[in-house]
Amino acid sequence: DARRIEHAAAQFADMGALLWAAEAESAAASAHREAGREASARSAAARAVNSSLVARNNLVRKHWSNVRQLSSQGSAERSELML
């Protein structure tokens, strides 16, 4: 049932498990689409993309702050700071 999957996705998001939330929303979108609820499918797909983007941004932000800390120490070469 798509509504139960969406509920699970919301719980994953509340826990901070954003990639799991994205997976669940994607599954919900498929379930909605199979049931002929195209508007609900588009909404669930949009939430899946949003969760995925937020997770990616969090990951990049976390690692970028580590790179900035290294560069502020002055001992790192520019080539070492490349991601």
Side-chain angles (χ1 to χ4, degrees):
D1 175 62
R3 302 288 178 204
R4 286 183 174 181
I5 298 170
E6 286 178 332
H7 180 71
Q11 289 180 327
F12 283 136
D14 289 344
M15 291 187 305
L18 297 175
L19 291 178
W20 287 355
E23 282 290 321
E25 286 290 0
S26 179
S30 294
H32 281 303
R33 195 163 282 115
E34 288 172 10
R37 295 186 298 267
E38 191 59 37
S40 295
R42 282 194 304 271
S43 294
R47 286 190 300 273
V49 169
N50 186 49
S51 291
S52 179
L53 290 174
V54 170
R56 184 197 68 177
N57 289 341
N58 289 345
L59 179 69
V60 168
R61 197 173 297 123
K62 175 183 172 186
H63 291 288
W64 180 244
S65 82
N66 290 340
V67 169
R68 285 191 312 222
Q69 288 172 2
L70 285 174
S71 68
S72 69
Q73 294 172 357
S75 62
E77 295 286 328
R78 181 169 193 244
S79 60
E80 293 177 299
L81 300 176
M82 301 292 284
L83 293 178

